[in-house]
Amino acid sequence: MVLISDNYPRDLSKDDKVLEVQMFGKTVSNPLVLAAGFDKHAEAIEDFLDLGFGAVEVGSVTPLPQPGNPPPVLFILKPDRAAINRYGFNSKGHAVFKDNLINRAQNVYHQDPTTPNETGNMSFREGKILGINLGKNKASPQDSFDDYVLGVKELGSYADFIVINVSCPNLPGLRALQEKDTLKNLLEAVIKAKEELPRQPSLVVKISPDVSDDELENIANTLMNLGKIDAVVLTNTTTKRPSTLKSDPELLKEAGGLSGEPLFPMAIEVVRKFYKLTNGKIPIMGCGGVSSAKEVLAFARAGATMVQLFTKLSYECYKPNFEGPCLLTTIKKDLVDELNKEGKTWMDIIGEEHKA
């Protein structure tokens, strides 16, 4: 989903210092991240940075263009403030994606697209970072790692961080890549490709909320043992349908990943468990069901260093009075108010509930 306009709302105010976060060895102005899927083709990075995000994650992008799944692919669950999607990695492919990144660097910032700004950021903005989410073509062999390796080689130099997406529920066999030995082999191949780049981005892995406790422990151990994973995104969408859902039962039967407010309890529990399993040594980007500062703060206290938004922003953008940009501003204001009330900074509260 891309929203581009000369009159597009912008929030260019300077973020309060209490929101500063240390991530990937960089100082980011605030902990809010645009989740992957909003700007699949890297067409609107400037617009989303202008909304006030600390980081923007673009993609998922696949090596070759592909249409994704046949329509319908999106089902809105209004009573639950949620959605089910089964897009299936629709992508214009690496070539178009890369051209968009190059054109942005040259036309907006007049600089080499693989050279960071003076603060070391590939967003080319102080206090802002750019991520690229890598996916896999549907036609590729299910047990192949080649698409991810190619993604790192082709696009890694254009990002502050790259995300290996092995948790989308809408591509057959993809989640099998989270299995212990398979994940280890995949990430070893990706790490090798990354280390051959002249400028190395940070490496992030995106995990499903549907993994069992044993599977999560295996994933945590694998990432810890590799020692070269810089963060995780917890979590992707879920194939589960919680009993609390109020929407039309026929809609709930639709295949796809559930996102929005019902995902929050599942996602934050995965964050808590992963933080404990790794003793907080692998930074977490919390993702799932954020609708206000309340959820953002809860994610941080459970162990998340940064927090991603998606579905709630979509809902607000389609209101008649277009409150999407206001949502981000409101969340940041409420975060500052609460942190000042407690006499703390954002970095102070990360993993706080584990230290009580």
Side-chain angles (χ1 to χ4, degrees):
M1 186 184 306
V2 175
L3 305 166
I4 305 176
S5 167
D6 290 339
N7 299 315
Y8 192 76
R10 288 163 168 79
D11 178 8
L12 302 180
S13 58
K14 192 172 179 64
D15 288 324
D16 194 293
K17 291 283 285 184
V18 300
L19 295 180
E20 275 191 358
V21 55
Q22 299 300 314
M23 191 69 166
F24 307 131
K26 303 172 186 288
T27 299
V28 184
S29 67
N30 74 73
L32 301 181
V33 185
L34 179 73
F38 228 113
D39 185 5
K40 284 178 173 286
H41 315 303
E43 296 170 314
I45 296 169
E46 290 303 296
D47 297 284
F48 287 117
L49 287 172
D50 283 349
L51 286 185
F53 284 102
V56 168
E57 184 182 330
V58 290
S60 292
V61 57
T62 58
L64 300 175
Q66 65 179 25
N69 293 322
V73 294
L74 179 64
F75 307 90
I76 304 300
L77 310 180
K78 286 186 178 179
D80 297 299
R81 307 293 290 170
I84 294 171
N85 92 79
R86 53 170 180 255
Y87 284 107
F89 281 171
N90 55 303
S91 175
K92 293 183 180 179
H94 283 178
V96 170
F97 194 97
K98 186 174 180 178
D99 281 346
N100 289 339
L101 293 170
I102 292 172
N103 289 336
R104 170 179 173 264
Q106 293 178 341
N107 297 336
V108 179
Y109 294 96
H110 309 292
Q111 69 175 69
D112 177 80
T114 60
T115 302
N117 70 350
E118 60 275 9
T119 56
N121 300 334
M122 292 307 300
S123 70
F124 308 126
R125 296 201 192 185
E126 183 179 0
K128 311 290 182 181
I129 56 176
L130 177 66
I132 297 176
N133 186 298
L134 301 179
K136 183 174 179 177
N137 279 119
K138 193 172 184 177
S140 298
Q142 289 189 8
D143 59 352
S144 172
F145 311 148
D146 292 350
D147 287 5
Y148 294 105
V149 171
L150 184 60
V152 172
K153 290 180 177 179
E154 287 290 310
L155 301 173
S157 295
Y158 299 89
D160 293 296
F161 63 98
I162 50 174
V163 181
I164 306 301
N165 189 346
V166 290
S167 53
C168 175
N170 300 316
L171 199 70
L174 189 74
R175 288 188 167 186
L177 296 178
Q178 295 176 123
E179 295 173 2
K180 187 176 180 181
D181 291 338
T182 305
L183 182 63
K184 176 178 177 291
N185 293 335
L186 163 62
L187 293 177
E188 284 178 340
V190 165
I191 290 167
K192 182 176 183 295
K194 188 195 84 159
E195 290 178 342
E196 293 172 356
L197 295 175
R199 191 199 62 80
Q200 296 182 27
S202 296
L203 181 59
V204 182
V205 182
K206 189 167 186 176
I207 304 300
S208 165
D210 300 329
V211 293
S212 68
D213 287 350
D214 286 345
E215 289 169 331
L216 185 64
E217 184 174 1
N218 285 335
I219 291 169
N221 289 338
T222 297
L223 301 189
M224 289 288 286
N225 290 336
L226 283 170
K228 296 183 178 182
I229 305 303
D230 299 295
V232 291
V233 177
L234 304 176
T235 62
N236 212 317
T237 58
T238 178
T239 57
K240 295 178 181 178
R241 302 293 182 261
S243 60
T244 54
L245 296 177
K246 308 180 189 71
S247 297
D248 182 348
E250 291 303 309
L251 279 180
L252 300 181
K253 292 178 183 177
E254 295 290 349
L258 174 72
S259 64
E261 292 182 13
L263 180 57
F264 176 71
M266 301 172 61
I268 196 169
E269 191 58 26
V270 176
V271 168
R272 286 191 181 103
K273 291 175 179 177
F274 187 88
Y275 188 92
K276 288 180 181 178
L277 287 167
T278 59
N279 292 316
K281 292 181 179 178
I282 298 179
I284 297 167
M285 290 187 179
C287 184
V290 171
S291 59
S292 69
K294 179 182 176 181
E295 291 81 25
V296 176
L297 289 164
F299 262 130
R301 299 189 205 281
T305 302
M306 300 189 80
V307 179
Q308 300 196 344
L309 285 81
F310 187 95
T311 303
K312 176 67 173 179
L313 187 66
S314 305
Y315 266 92
E316 298 304 313
C317 285
Y318 281 104
K319 282 186 175 181
N321 57 350
F322 194 61
E323 295 179 3
C326 297
L327 170 70
L328 201 64
T329 303
T330 299
I331 289 177
K332 289 198 288 185
K333 178 183 179 300
D334 291 346
L335 289 175
V336 170
D337 288 347
E338 181 60 30
L339 290 169
N340 284 337
K341 179 181 173 183
E342 297 181 17
K344 298 175 180 177
T345 68
W346 174 262
M347 294 299 293
D348 292 334
I349 68 168
I350 297 170
E352 191 174 54
E353 68 179 50
H354 303 282
K355 301 166 188 173

